[in-house]
Amino acid sequence: MHIAIDFISFSCSLAMFRPKHVFICFLISFAFFIDPSSQHVDDVKKQQMREKVREMFYHAYDNYMTYAFPVSVNYVNLSCHDELKPITKSFTDSLSELGNLKLEHLPTGYNGSAVTLVESLSSLAILGNKTEFEKGVLWLSENLKFDVDVRVNLFECNIRLLGGLISAHLLAIDPTNRLIQGSYDNQLLRLAEDLGKRFLPAFETPTRIPYAWINFKKGVMENETTETSTSGCGSLILEMGALSRLTGDPRFESAALRALRQLWRMRSSLDLLGTTLDVVTGEWLEYSSGIGAGVDSFYEYLMKAYILFGKEDYWQMFRSAYLASQKYFRYGPWYHEANMWSGKPTYWQLTSLQAFWPGLQVLVGDVAAANSSHREFFHAWEKFGVIPERYLLDHQMIHPTERYYPLRPELAESTFYLYQATKDPWYLDVGEAMVKSLNRYTKVAGGFASVRDVTTMQLEDHQHSFFLAETCKYLYLLFDDSFVAKRNYIFTTEGHPIQVMSSWHEKLPESYFSGNWTFSKSGEWESGASALSMKVCPSVAPNSRLREQHRESVCHVPDQKIDHKCWSNRECGVDATTCRQRSCSEVGFCGLWNPL
């Protein structure tokens, strides 16, 4: 089944809001309309940019292995530090600090869990480095232990360590990859199973919603905080579900699914969820909600769990949650936050984590909406050189205490998805601009450093593991998708690929038609409104094979040039999904550059 990442034709659902059926369509590449000479130029650019991203990855990875691991050539040294400090060329055992804003209960004898190495394995596979992949698998198999006294964030440990181990295991046993030349006896899976068992005590709460923190050796600590986030407890199902399917032990998937269902029962009558809650009382602590920090991957995992496991429950939850987000959060191409009970706006802000949203919208078929939001995020990137963590839309200023950029991958991720869906070379230009910015502002002799203040480009001595797991990976795949071409993968929220297998499906999603049209199972045309508004259809594609059934938004006026380039506002049209006048940016592209 080709629903996740199929790069000949990219799957999406246009008639996504029918209550019982999902009709999958494909946005086909229009490469045959492109002038051969321009196609050649694009191919050359992609090859050049691929090599630049490869250099970026290895600059980050090699410095981690030299200064943060550190290990000898033969992997004899048993140090396994978590992340690199690229400016001082040292290390940080940061697993206990992830999500720990107050830096409470830090361990004294903890020497790391090789987080960056685990996170890098799937990227090494995608870059084709079989030798380094196998070395990493061998070292982890022989040296990584979880029987250590360290308090960790369940969500961060799940997406980074458990997800990284499961993904690498699946890549290792896939005979088409041939990544392991020696013997492999499911060592990574055994590590993942050991880790998963250490997660289970966190779910022993009255609500079955897990504690946010767990000690690898001691379980839930005495007087542990009962506060958790929606994304923290609602984004465990992919990794723990996959672990159950691989081991045959249903406890992992059952625990994650019970928590997810309980969380969904706590939604408001508007189908909105808050940001933080109490795992003991089941009461909401923060009523403001949105698509950014604290909630983001909850939406993502509902859709991706449906793709991976085929369970109708996930689709029904996602459908309701997505419609509610469009109704209460969306303002043109922007998404503000709103009160979960009243739906009234609370905070008007752009956050860097929101940039994942266009990628998710591509998966569900809202390509036009994804494009309009993506252009706003890229405009912010162009304005500041990178994306600030939080930008206040109502005040037109960066948040005074969140001026940083920690090498986040979300914009690269959405750029990758949109290029696969449209094959528009403009997204290659976006990727090229991002690569140039990262090399210009964040590259140092010892790796890549986070940006402490985007207004001054002052750096912070930290190279997060997700820079190798996601940022470099998505940029590389943007320019070279050969590893995943014609294969069925979904990517976890940490960028780890998991193969979609029919044997994992309790019920396969509805059949789909490989074309640009949507049909029912009987073959008859199913008329469906845009997934974005349920009122208009995207103007980018016909709704039928028949010319007379072609429909557009009544307000839509296309830009004068097909590549959206412009010299003045007169060359820009009216947006098809928002009916707002587009304007010409300072760099000469039409878009919705004014947020309000």
Side-chain angles (χ1 to χ4, degrees), residues 2 11 83 111 142 260 394 414 531 537 593:
H2 302 273
S11 55
E83 292 179 319
N111 292 315
E142 296 178 349
L260 183 59
D394 47 353
S414 289
C537 297
W593 306 123

Side-chain angles (χ1 to χ4, degrees), residues 30-302:
F30 291 97
F32 52 89
F33 289 125
I34 300 175
D35 180 72
S37 60
S38 65
Q39 183 65 52
H40 175 70
V41 172
D42 288 341
D43 289 342
V44 171
K45 175 186 284 189
K46 287 167 71 173
Q47 292 174 9
Q48 294 173 341
M49 294 309 302
R50 176 194 64 192
E51 294 310 307
K52 288 184 179 180
V53 177
R54 188 192 299 273
E55 292 174 7
M56 288 172 57
F57 175 84
Y58 284 115
H59 183 68
Y61 178 79
D62 291 343
N63 275 290
Y64 166 74
M65 298 303 292
T66 300
Y67 300 111
F69 206 65
V71 296
S72 69
V73 175
N74 296 320
Y75 284 78
V76 174
N77 193 304
L78 300 185
S79 299
C80 52
H81 302 298
D82 290 330
E83 292 179 319
L84 171 68
K85 299 178 76 172
I87 297 176
T88 57
K89 297 181 179 179
S90 57
F91 58 82
T92 172
D93 293 318
S94 52
L95 185 61
S96 62
E97 300 175 5
L98 297 174
N100 190 355
L101 299 179
K102 297 181 181 179
L103 298 181
E104 299 174 316
H105 310 293
L106 295 178
T108 55
Y110 175 63
N111 292 315
S113 298
V115 173
T116 297
L117 178 59
V118 174
E119 291 249 72
S120 298
L121 289 180
S122 60
S123 296
L124 288 167
I126 287 174
L127 267 65
N129 194 333
K130 300 179 181 180
T131 301
E132 198 67 17
F133 179 89
E134 186 169 12
K135 283 183 179 180
V137 170
L138 179 62
W139 190 94
L140 293 169
S141 303
E142 296 178 349
N143 299 297
L144 183 59
K145 307 293 185 222
F146 294 121
D147 189 27
V148 291
D149 185 7
V150 57
R151 175 180 178 265
V152 300
N153 183 276
L154 178 65
F155 168 73
E156 293 288 354
C157 198
N158 174 71
I159 64 174
R160 299 194 193 212
L161 282 179
L162 185 60
L165 290 170
I166 289 172
S167 175
H169 165 72
L170 288 169
L171 291 169
I173 63 174
D174 186 346
T176 62
N177 295 327
R178 299 179 181 177
L179 293 169
I180 303 292
Q181 303 304 312
S183 61
Y184 177 72
D185 188 29
N186 299 328
Q187 300 99 306
L188 297 184
L189 179 58
R190 288 197 293 273
L191 279 172
E193 185 176 16
D194 177 36
L195 182 60
K197 290 178 179 177
R198 297 177 190 277
F199 287 177
L200 293 178
F203 292 85
E204 297 173 5
T205 67
T207 61
R208 297 300 183 183
I209 294 175
Y211 284 96
W213 299 91
I214 190 76
N215 185 291
F216 278 162
K217 196 167 190 175
K218 300 177 180 178
V220 178
M221 303 291 288
E222 186 177 357
N223 298 320
E224 183 59 83
T225 177
T226 58
E227 180 178 345
T228 191
S229 67
T230 296
S231 57
C233 63
S235 308
L236 306 170
I237 190 62
L238 289 186
E239 294 83 359
M240 296 188 72
L243 183 59
S244 282
R245 304 303 171 101
L246 290 167
T247 62
D249 187 339
R251 291 180 297 168
F252 312 114
E253 184 173 6
S254 296
L257 182 54
R258 277 197 305 267
L260 183 59
R261 283 175 170 163
Q262 179 59 31
L263 184 65
W264 183 243
R265 292 189 193 102
M266 294 169 56
R267 72 192 185 279
S268 72
S269 60
L270 306 179
D271 286 333
L272 298 178
L273 293 88
T275 305
T276 59
L277 62 145
D278 190 298
V279 303
V280 173
T281 65
E283 296 178 352
W284 288 104
L285 303 177
E286 174 55 61
Y287 300 151
S288 184
S289 184
I291 62 168
V295 188
D296 47 2
S297 53
F298 167 76
Y299 294 99
E300 178 185 3
Y301 270 36
L302 288 178

Side-chain angles (χ1 to χ4, degrees), residues 338-513:
N339 184 287
M340 64 176 291
W341 305 112
S342 66
K344 294 181 178 179
T346 52
Y347 303 108
W348 293 80
Q349 55 192 5
L350 174 149
T351 67
S352 60
L353 288 172
Q354 292 175 345
F356 90 98
W357 191 255
L360 178 61
Q361 290 185 303
V362 169
L363 279 183
V364 300
D366 274 348
V367 178
N371 173 68
S372 62
S373 293
H374 175 273
R375 286 176 180 269
E376 302 293 345
F377 285 111
F378 182 58
H379 178 58
W381 181 285
E382 288 182 303
K383 181 175 181 178
F384 298 106
V386 293
I387 291 186
E389 187 71 359
R390 194 177 302 272
Y391 183 82
L392 305 178
L393 295 172
D394 47 353
H395 298 289
Q396 292 290 290
M397 60 176 287
I398 299 176
H399 192 285
T401 62
E402 298 186 51
R403 311 167 76 90
Y404 52 89
Y405 168 69
L407 305 175
R408 290 205 188 278
E410 285 76 16
L411 183 59
E413 176 185 3
S414 289
T415 304
F416 159 67
Y417 277 103
L418 276 161
Y419 179 68
Q420 291 300 330
T422 67
K423 297 301 180 184
D424 185 340
W426 181 78
Y427 294 108
L428 300 178
D429 296 337
V430 172
E432 182 178 12
M434 295 182 67
V435 169
K436 288 180 179 179
S437 291
L438 289 168
N439 280 293
R440 177 181 179 183
Y441 297 119
T442 71
K443 185 177 181 180
V444 295
F448 285 84
S450 301
V451 178
R452 185 187 300 274
D453 187 335
V454 302
T455 63
T456 64
M457 288 301 172
Q458 178 188 3
L459 297 179
E460 181 179 353
D461 197 12
H462 197 168
Q463 178 182 284
H464 290 271
S465 62
F466 55 68
F467 180 71
L468 293 99
E470 299 183 82
T471 309
C472 290
K473 178 183 290 157
Y474 284 123
L475 287 171
Y476 185 87
L477 287 171
L478 173 65
F479 301 113
D480 184 351
D481 58 27
S482 59
F483 183 85
V484 290
K486 297 185 181 180
R487 303 187 192 185
N488 302 309
Y489 290 104
I490 56 106
F491 290 90
T492 70
T493 197
E494 194 72 5
H496 297 302
I498 299 180
Q499 188 171 5
V500 178
M501 295 176 281
S502 60
S503 60
W504 285 11
H505 281 247
E506 297 178 12
K507 172 187 173 185
L508 286 172
E510 297 291 343
S511 60
Y512 52 84
F513 179 80

